[in-house]
Amino acid sequence: MMELNRMTDTLNRIGLFRTILSVVASRAGVKVAVLISFLVLGRALGAEAFGLYAVFSSSIYIAFQFANFGMRQAGSHIIGQTPEREGAVVRALISFFPISVLAFVSLVWCLTQYRGSVPIDSGWLLVLLSGIGAVGVSYTQGINLGRGQIGVFNLTEIILQIVSSLIVLTFFALSLMGLLELDLHLAIWSLAVGFIAAGTFGVWRTFPTRPSQPDDPSVAGMLCALLQYGWVYAVVLLLLTINSRLAVFFLAGTDTAAAGQLFIALRLSEAFLEITSAVGLVLFSMGTRAQDPVMMLKQSAALTRVLILMALFIGVILVVILPEIIRYLFPHAETVGKVAILLLAATLPFTAFNRTIYQAIAGLGRPHVGGIG
């Protein structure tokens, strides 16, 4: 019996690591393209304009995390635990879709009010398009996580990033030929198109869903169940997201160029942290369907230890290369201080821990635990 349990444990670990490896490997090439396009954008826009882009992009990112009210995680949890309720979850999500889009637009409006408005022409059309795409991405990802379809979830993430990056790189190539100028307006359009493309793909791969069952709860009843679980997750994610991006908004009020430099530092560190996020979401998806929570937590703890060691190594690299990257992108701007870079690098292990172990625990139905961090 003990030998059988040991063999089952080994097979479970192999399956978990194989799933995580496929997610991380598929994102590696995409992340390289994203980083290249990001650095190209910084060089093309200059320090001041890139600072404005940092504010707008951070607003979009925060709204993306919060405006779905935790519906992605709540829907995933319910579908993972009770697959026959998928139809009821989908009907509830569709009914709540306009509210999430309105929340997205409102949150971006609030976060960009330090300058009075979104700092580009046709800005609110872009915010609305981004909101429709972002909520579509979030909802369909939740359904696919609940089903255990990590591949579809991963493709949605890849499309979101690769489409925006390819648009930026195309605009940059055209600007080198003198055919157009890569400015803030075009840069933000690339974000909106990326969200719309990813949302469209998510809807295409997610539907049709399971049919509704005669004993399904009403739309209002399912919405209450989703919100009861999701609001905790939404608040925790908002706190985690603001914790990393709030300094960008504070700096932008006094020094837009410095905000852009800080944004570059954050994005480079997040290039590593996205690996931890990917691992965390795999653990979340597996946690929603876990038959043995103790085994699931043991595997999660083992992975978290490895990621913390990786975070320490990445932090040392950031301290060395980050000032040189910023000097190259903005040769005439004053570089972010070394103390700020050291503090950012020092937070990486703690963030890696939070993004992995919290997702695993939340997948088991305990989203409030992340609020402690």
Side-chain angles (χ1 to χ4, degrees):
M1 187 67 180
M2 290 181 62
E3 188 65 30
L4 179 61
N5 289 337
R6 190 177 297 111
M7 185 179 298
T8 303
D9 181 31
T10 301
L11 290 174
N12 287 337
R13 285 173 180 264
I14 291 172
L16 176 61
F17 279 102
R18 184 179 296 166
T19 303
I20 290 171
L21 184 61
S22 67
V23 171
V24 173
S26 63
R27 291 190 180 196
V30 175
K31 185 50 61 181
V32 171
V34 169
L35 287 177
I36 291 174
S37 68
F38 186 71
L39 297 176
V40 161
L41 191 60
R43 184 75 174 182
L45 294 181
E48 291 291 330
F50 190 77
L52 292 176
Y53 174 82
V55 170
F56 189 86
S57 178
S58 296
S59 302
I60 293 287
Y61 180 70
I62 291 172
F64 176 59
Q65 297 295 334
F66 181 74
N68 61 73
F69 296 94
M71 291 292 189
R72 177 172 71 176
Q73 292 76 20
S76 173
H77 179 73
I78 292 175
I79 292 172
Q81 294 293 312
T82 53
E84 67 276 7
R85 293 286 181 248
E86 182 179 308
V89 170
V90 171
R91 286 190 294 118
L93 291 177
I94 291 173
S95 69
F96 201 73
F97 187 89
I99 298 175
S100 284
V101 173
L102 178 61
F104 183 99
V105 174
S106 302
L107 189 52
V108 172
W109 181 83
C110 291
L111 291 171
T112 55
Q113 277 307 293
Y114 83 102
R115 286 184 174 271
S117 64
V118 179
I120 54 170
D121 297 332
S122 307
W124 292 113
L125 174 61
L126 294 180
V127 174
L128 179 60
L129 290 175
S130 299
I132 293 172
V135 175
V137 167
S138 182
Y139 282 7
T140 55
Q141 282 183 338
I143 295 169
N144 287 304
L145 282 174
R147 293 171 175 172
Q149 295 177 340
I150 306 295
V152 177
F153 169 88
N154 197 42
L155 279 173
T156 309
E157 288 279 301
I158 289 173
I159 290 172
L160 172 59
Q161 298 184 58
I162 203 67
V163 167
S164 298
S165 300
L166 288 177
I167 291 174
V168 168
L169 292 174
T170 301
F171 285 157
F172 181 68
L174 293 174
S175 70
L176 292 178
M177 297 180 216
L179 299 178
L180 55 77
E181 181 181 356
L182 178 54
D183 57 11
L184 181 63
H185 184 76
L186 292 177
I188 295 178
W189 260 109
S190 71
L191 286 176
V193 173
F195 274 115
I196 289 294
T200 302
F201 173 81
V203 170
W204 172 61
R205 288 302 303 267
T206 302
F207 290 89
T209 59
R210 286 174 180 257
S212 299
Q213 302 298 317
D215 60 340
D216 277 347
S218 64
V219 171
M222 181 55 74
L223 275 177
C224 288
L226 289 168
L227 289 171
Q228 183 178 2
Y229 178 87
W231 77 268
V232 179
Y233 207 106
V235 170
V236 171
L237 272 183
L238 180 65
L239 293 174
L240 290 173
T241 307
I242 287 180
N243 186 45
S244 64
R245 297 298 179 97
L246 196 59
V248 172
F249 293 96
F250 281 128
L251 269 179
T254 56
D255 189 342
T256 308
Q261 292 182 44
L262 177 61
F263 186 60
I264 284 179
L266 290 171
R267 287 304 303 269
L268 287 174
S269 66
E270 286 171 0
F272 162 73
L273 292 175
E274 279 204 19
I275 296 176
T276 66
S277 296
V279 172
L281 285 168
V282 171
L283 296 176
F284 178 86
S285 177
M286 298 186 76
T288 61
R289 295 168 286 112
Q291 301 299 317
D292 187 349
V294 175
M295 179 60 65
M296 183 67 203
L297 287 176
K298 286 181 179 179
Q299 294 175 344
S300 302
L303 279 169
T304 302
R305 287 194 292 269
V306 174
L307 290 172
I308 288 173
L309 293 175
M310 288 177 61
L312 289 170
F313 177 71
I314 296 295
V316 173
I317 294 177
L318 279 179
V319 170
V320 175
I321 68 170
L322 194 52
E324 300 304 320
I325 291 175
I326 293 176
R327 268 193 287 270
Y328 169 75
L329 293 178
F330 311 123
H332 304 297
E334 184 177 348
T335 306
V336 171
K338 290 184 178 180
V339 175
I341 295 174
L342 284 170
L343 288 173
L344 177 64
T347 64
L348 289 181
F350 301 98
T351 309
F353 170 82
N354 210 355
R355 290 195 181 187
T356 49
I357 203 70
Y358 168 56
Q359 294 277 22
I361 296 173
L364 295 173
R366 299 174 179 84
H368 57 280
V369 174
I372 299 172

